[in-house]
Amino acid sequence: QKEVEQNSGPLSVPEGAIASLNCTYSDRGSQSFFWYRQYSGKSPELIMSIYSNGDKEDGRFTAQLNKASQYVSLLIRDSQPSDSATYLCAEYNDMRFGAGTRLTVKP
Amino acid sequence: SAVISQKPSRDICQRGTSLTIQCQVDSQVTMMFWYRQQPGQSLTLIATANQGSEATYESGFVIDKFPISRPNLTFSTLTVSNMSPEDSSIYLCSVRTGAGEQYFGPGTRLTVT
């Protein structure tokens, strides 16, 4: 069965640190992924998509896709308390979601 | 991006009744999706609704229980039929834009008593 797996956390980092969030996937045919942020009681917000191997940067966020090792990650630089949320990765074709990682950024 | 609205935002319904959730998007999109999210859980895809074709349901979801309409490129409805307390959840509409980005509506919080 095709799976997208995330460590549900919680992950706690101090303000200003780099938060690293990871997903692994089982389907070698998966080509592209989305990262979403979900605040409690709200719907998921798209942070960024990544369609090819390597890194993609958008502001404080960097997504990394490694097809050989079948993982996708999201780095958040200079983490802020407002980044505290659950982060979800999703595979593009089937839109399978990981379980989500709860991130807390402590002031 | 896409701006998505859902109606109702929340409802409390009695067991055995049905609720229809509406999803409206501000631009034409080919692909629309319906998800369910249980409290504290991740998202589960119910079905994909493409305009001009029958909805495609995921394993564990059937058309009789969750009928979907997709009359045009900006609108879809999901009906939750013959509800039971197990159907209490947040139901989310999602769309994929022509650029390949996927966005979510604000959700409908359903409580079945």
Side-chain angles (χ1 to χ4, degrees), chain A residues 6 34 36 38 41-46 48-49 51 56 88 91-100 102, chain B residues 31 33 35 37 40-45 58 90 92 94 96-97 99-107 109:
Chain A
Q6 282 184 264
F34 296 112
Y36 290 88
Q38 187 173 27
K42 301 294 186 181
S43 64
E45 303 171 46
L46 180 64
M48 60 196 304
S49 56
Y51 301 113
K56 180 181 178 182
L88 299 153
E91 192 275 343
Y92 180 90
N93 286 331
D94 295 340
M95 282 306 286
R96 298 184 303 277
F97 276 81
R102 182 181 296 274
Chain B
M31 300 179 73
F33 306 84
Y35 286 84
Q37 188 173 31
Q41 302 293 314
S42 188
L43 286 83
T44 301
L45 180 62
E58 296 298 304
I90 297 172
L92 293 149
S94 179
R96 185 167 294 182
T97 67
E101 306 292 314
Q102 186 142 346
Y103 299 93
F104 284 83
R109 183 179 295 272

Side-chain angles (χ1 to χ4, degrees), chain A residues 63-84:
Chain A
Q64 300 173 321
L65 176 58
N66 185 319
K67 294 182 180 179
S69 301
Q70 295 180 238
Y71 77 82
V72 56
S73 62
L74 181 70
L75 302 178
I76 307 174
R77 291 182 299 280
D78 188 24
S79 295
Q80 301 298 307
S82 59
D83 294 324
S84 297

Side-chain angles (χ1 to χ4, degrees), chain B residues 69-99:
Chain B
S69 77
R70 182 77 202 275
N72 57 53
L73 291 172
T74 63
F75 188 78
S76 178
T77 66
L78 169 75
T79 299
V80 186
S81 304
N82 187 25
M83 288 184 285
S84 66
E86 293 71 36
D87 295 319
S88 297
S89 189
I90 297 172
Y91 291 84
L92 293 149
C93 172
S94 179
V95 305
R96 185 167 294 182
T97 67

Side-chain angles (χ1 to χ4, degrees), chain A:
Chain A
Q1 182 161 348
K2 300 175 182 178
E3 298 283 349
V4 175
E5 296 189 357
Q6 282 184 264
N7 185 334
S8 62
L11 174 66
S12 180
V13 301
E15 184 175 356
I18 296 175
S20 178
L21 304 152
N22 300 298
C23 270
T24 58
Y25 59 94
S26 61
D27 182 8
R28 283 200 167 273
S30 296
Q31 299 289 320
S32 308
F33 292 84
F34 296 112
W35 278 101
Y36 290 88
R37 175 174 63 193
Q38 187 173 27
Y39 293 111
S40 181
K42 301 294 186 181
S43 64
E45 303 171 46
L46 180 64
I47 299 173
M48 60 196 304
S49 56
I50 184 162
Y51 301 113
S52 59
N53 238 8
D55 296 0
K56 180 181 178 182
E57 187 174 317
D58 185 358
R60 295 186 296 114
F61 299 95
T62 299
Q64 300 173 321
L65 176 58
N66 185 319
K67 294 182 180 179
S69 301
Q70 295 180 238
Y71 77 82
V72 56
S73 62
L74 181 70
L75 302 178
I76 307 174
R77 291 182 299 280
D78 188 24
S79 295
Q80 301 298 307
S82 59
D83 294 324
S84 297
T86 296
Y87 289 80
L88 299 153
C89 67
E91 192 275 343
Y92 180 90
N93 286 331
D94 295 340
M95 282 306 286
R96 298 184 303 277
F97 276 81
T101 300
R102 182 181 296 274
L103 171 68
T104 300
V105 181
K106 294 187 175 181

Side-chain angles (χ1 to χ4, degrees), chain B:
Chain B
S1 65
V3 178
I4 305 166
S5 60
Q6 283 185 237
K7 291 182 182 179
S9 58
R10 59 178 63 224
D11 207 340
I12 301 173
C13 302
Q14 291 196 344
R15 179 195 302 260
T17 63
S18 298
L19 176 71
T20 295
I21 302 168
Q22 299 179 5
C23 176
Q24 179 79 51
V25 61
D26 69 340
S27 57
Q28 294 184 340
V29 294
T30 301
M31 300 179 73
M32 296 182 79
F33 306 84
W34 287 97
Y35 286 84
R36 183 170 74 182
Q37 188 173 31
Q38 308 277 16
Q41 302 293 314
S42 188
L43 286 83
T44 301
L45 180 62
I46 298 171
T48 302
N50 294 334
Q51 198 270 338
S53 61
E54 295 291 321
T56 302
Y57 289 82
E58 296 298 304
S59 176
F61 298 96
V62 295
I63 187 171
D64 290 347
K65 175 68 174 177
F66 297 101
I68 289 171
S69 77
R70 182 77 202 275
N72 57 53
L73 291 172
T74 63
F75 188 78
S76 178
T77 66
L78 169 75
T79 299
V80 186
S81 304
N82 187 25
M83 288 184 285
S84 66
E86 293 71 36
D87 295 319
S88 297
S89 189
I90 297 172
Y91 291 84
L92 293 149
C93 172
S94 179
V95 305
R96 185 167 294 182
T97 67
E101 306 292 314
Q102 186 142 346
Y103 299 93
F104 284 83
T108 296
R109 183 179 295 272
L110 171 62
T111 302
V112 184
T113 61

